[in-house]
Amino acid sequence: METTWIERLDLFRYAIAAALLAGILCPLIGSLLLVRRTSFYGVALPQFATAGVVFGFLLLPWWVEHIGLAGLSIDEAFEDKHAALHYHLGWAGFFTFGGLVALMLVARKGASEIGWVAAAFAIAHAATSIFGSRSPVGQAFVEELVHGEVLGVGVHEFETIAAAFLFVLALLVWFRRDFVLLSFDREFARVLGRPVFAFEILLAVL
């Protein structure tokens, strides 16, 4: 029996809502990165996040045994992706912000930012492959997870996506004048007495 459009919309409602949120927010971030000529960050940082997720799988058996994960057994942690979602997000965030801090420190020293971002991407990609090959659940399982599929977004993923995206959107709107000024003319923002480095950090984190 053929499904109706209403049934399809109901089945994929969380995926559609997540895609709409991404379509609203991501171009705003991307336009600021483009104006600041740091658009390569949008390529390198997600690769750091991927490396973090894969490292989380590599460390998961030790973590469950010695620290614990919401009372889950090792089999439950591997089989139920939703249960360990925030654990993997934590590692993704740790690797992402670690890479971000390193890139910003390099940029402040006047080094070639594009070259360092390209090198960082290559390092993060290599680390992802190495961590994945050593994962106890096998590289195929890890690759299936990190490549992702928007149609697979469920209620738990959507709640996390919505909370993060709405928080970022609120700060973008609140500090929009400072972000635009900083992106177009960093030195003019400094002359006006704006806390340039603080806003750079905030924008990078967002």
Side-chain angles (χ1 to χ4, degrees):
M1 186 176 68
E2 185 177 353
T3 58
T4 65
W5 278 104
I6 298 299
E7 292 173 330
R8 293 176 187 176
L9 289 174
D10 183 65
L11 180 63
F12 299 119
R13 61 186 183 277
Y14 296 114
I16 294 171
L20 289 174
L21 282 177
I24 293 171
L25 180 65
C26 290
L28 299 178
I29 294 287
S31 63
L32 294 174
L33 291 177
L34 181 63
V35 171
R36 298 189 67 222
R37 298 179 182 176
T38 55
S39 56
F40 283 112
Y41 276 54
V43 178
L45 293 180
Q47 190 61 50
F48 275 103
T50 301
V53 172
V54 179
F55 180 79
F57 272 105
L58 176 63
L59 193 66
L60 190 56
W62 180 90
W63 190 278
V64 171
E65 180 179 354
H66 293 88
I67 299 179
L69 187 64
L72 298 176
S73 67
I74 185 63
D75 292 333
E76 291 172 335
F78 277 131
E79 293 174 2
D80 191 346
K81 298 175 184 177
H82 296 297
L85 176 63
H86 294 290
Y87 165 83
H88 293 302
L89 283 176
W91 281 111
F94 178 77
F95 271 63
T96 300
F97 292 129
L100 178 60
V101 169
L103 291 174
M104 292 189 69
L105 290 176
V106 169
R108 283 179 62 83
K109 293 182 178 180
S112 174
E113 192 169 13
I114 295 178
W116 275 104
V117 171
F121 173 82
I123 293 171
H125 184 73
T128 301
S129 299
I130 294 172
F131 295 152
S133 65
R134 295 182 177 273
S135 170
V137 293
Q139 189 168 4
F141 179 87
V142 173
E143 287 180 352
E144 179 186 355
L145 175 67
V146 299
H147 287 166
E149 174 56 62
V150 67
L151 295 180
V153 172
V155 60
H156 300 294
E157 292 91 346
F158 177 72
E159 289 173 350
T160 302
I161 290 171
F165 277 18
L166 292 176
F167 175 74
V168 171
L169 181 61
L171 288 180
L172 280 177
V173 172
W174 186 263
F175 295 111
R176 64 188 183 279
R177 295 177 183 270
D178 294 289
F179 286 149
V180 171
L181 175 61
L182 174 67
S183 299
F184 276 100
D185 196 330
R186 185 176 187 273
E187 295 305 318
F188 185 52
R190 188 188 301 278
V191 170
L192 292 178
R194 307 306 298 162
V196 171
F197 187 59
F199 279 119
E200 284 183 336
I201 293 176
L202 178 60
L203 180 58
V205 169
L206 294 181

